[in-house]
Amino acid sequence: MIHVSIKNMKLFEVLDENAEVYYGGWQEWYGAWWKRMSGCGPTTVSSIISYINRSRTGAENEPAPFSKCDFQDLMEDVWEFVTPGMQGIPSTAALKKGVSAYIASKRLDLLPEELDIPKKKIYRPEFKNLLAFLAESLDNDLPVAFLSLDKGEEELLDTWHWVTVLSLRYEEDGSAAFADVADEGKLLHVDLKKWFDTTKIGGGFVRFVKR
């Protein structure tokens, strides 16, 4: 199988006050109950922004992971731009809108790009096109935001939920593909092909390309 991944998984780690290591953030770290209920989108964006910033500033030479306290500050900052509504952040377009506002405010040289997986299978891209999108992103050291509107038969995923893709193993012909995704501060090994084939509503993917 072909394997692609972000370059330094250590830069994705977050260390809490008890020295427990998480992979990216967890929406339960928000203070307000509404943010905890609907915060998977801004948490995912925070995880990706944190990784991109640290990978650009020589943080690979730092022995300690990002602190939970600092990460919570980033989550609150991102929330001001990537703000869920009554349905959370239910589309790649909604996430892109918030991310674009955040990027403009912080003057970051990033450009969000999406790949949608529509509800109707006739409109969906070929699975190999999704693999190419993810592989190109990861090969360029860019984690990818993944929206699962329906988990299908992949029990490790949730429905109506954002997670972060960090690595991918796949067959070149598209017959199989597995992704390591960060969710709730944990790494999950999900069957991406199973999700793609069985999701009833679809979802989408967003990457933040370095200009």
Side-chain angles (χ1 to χ4, degrees), residues 62-78:
E62 299 176 9
F66 202 48
S67 74
K68 176 184 172 183
C69 182
D70 288 341
F71 195 92
Q72 287 175 297
D73 289 341
L74 176 60
M75 288 170 63
E76 295 291 348
D77 193 25
V78 167

Side-chain angles (χ1 to χ4, degrees), residues 157-169:
L157 290 173
D158 286 327
T159 291
W160 218 268
H161 193 55
W162 286 94
V163 297
T164 312
V165 181
L166 301 180
S167 71
L168 179 71
R169 293 182 184 272

Side-chain angles (χ1 to χ4, degrees), residues 8-170:
N8 192 342
M9 195 70 75
K10 295 291 290 183
L11 295 185
F12 205 79
E13 293 178 356
V14 179
L15 187 70
D16 76 0
E17 59 275 6
N18 298 314
E20 184 172 355
V21 175
Y22 294 82
Y23 290 96
W26 186 8
Q27 67 195 76
E28 285 293 319
W29 293 348
Y30 278 114
W33 72 269
W34 165 242
K35 292 183 178 181
R36 294 196 297 270
M37 288 289 292
S38 62
C40 59
T43 301
T44 295
V45 171
S46 299
S47 296
I48 295 174
I49 292 295
S50 169
Y51 181 83
I52 292 174
N53 285 343
R54 282 165 58 78
S55 65
R56 285 180 164 185
T57 57
E60 63 271 13
N61 298 318
E62 299 176 9
F66 202 48
S67 74
K68 176 184 172 183
C69 182
D70 288 341
F71 195 92
Q72 287 175 297
D73 289 341
L74 176 60
M75 288 170 63
E76 295 291 348
D77 193 25
V78 167
W79 178 279
E80 296 302 312
F81 301 89
V82 186
T83 310
M86 293 300 295
Q87 293 184 312
I89 300 181
S91 67
T92 60
L95 190 83
K96 275 186 62 181
K97 181 179 180 181
V99 169
S100 295
Y102 179 85
I103 287 171
S105 174
K106 306 302 177 183
R107 299 183 179 179
L108 303 177
D109 54 343
L110 298 171
L111 178 67
E113 296 180 346
E114 82 279 17
L115 180 67
D116 285 316
I117 311 299
K119 179 178 180 179
K120 291 186 177 181
K121 291 188 177 182
I122 190 173
Y123 298 127
R124 293 181 185 178
E126 292 185 11
F127 187 59
K128 291 174 69 174
N129 291 347
L130 169 57
L131 294 179
F133 180 90
L134 294 174
E136 180 182 40
S137 303
L138 296 170
D139 193 51
N140 283 289
D141 204 23
L142 297 173
V144 181
F146 170 21
L147 172 63
S148 169
L149 289 173
D150 174 75
K151 68 180 181 179
E153 296 178 7
E154 176 45 85
E155 292 298 325
L156 291 179
L157 290 173
D158 286 327
T159 291
W160 218 268
H161 193 55
W162 286 94
V163 297
T164 312
V165 181
L166 301 180
S167 71
L168 179 71
R169 293 182 184 272
Y170 65 100

Side-chain angles (χ1 to χ4, degrees), residues 184-197:
E184 298 182 355
K186 303 173 184 176
L187 277 184
L188 305 177
H189 186 64
V190 304
D191 188 329
L192 191 63
K193 184 68 162 60
K194 179 186 288 186
W195 175 82
F196 185 86
D197 289 342

Side-chain angles (χ1 to χ4, degrees), residues 194-207:
K194 179 186 288 186
W195 175 82
F196 185 86
D197 289 342
T198 63
T199 179
K200 297 179 179 65
I201 305 178
F205 300 80
V206 181
R207 62 188 181 188

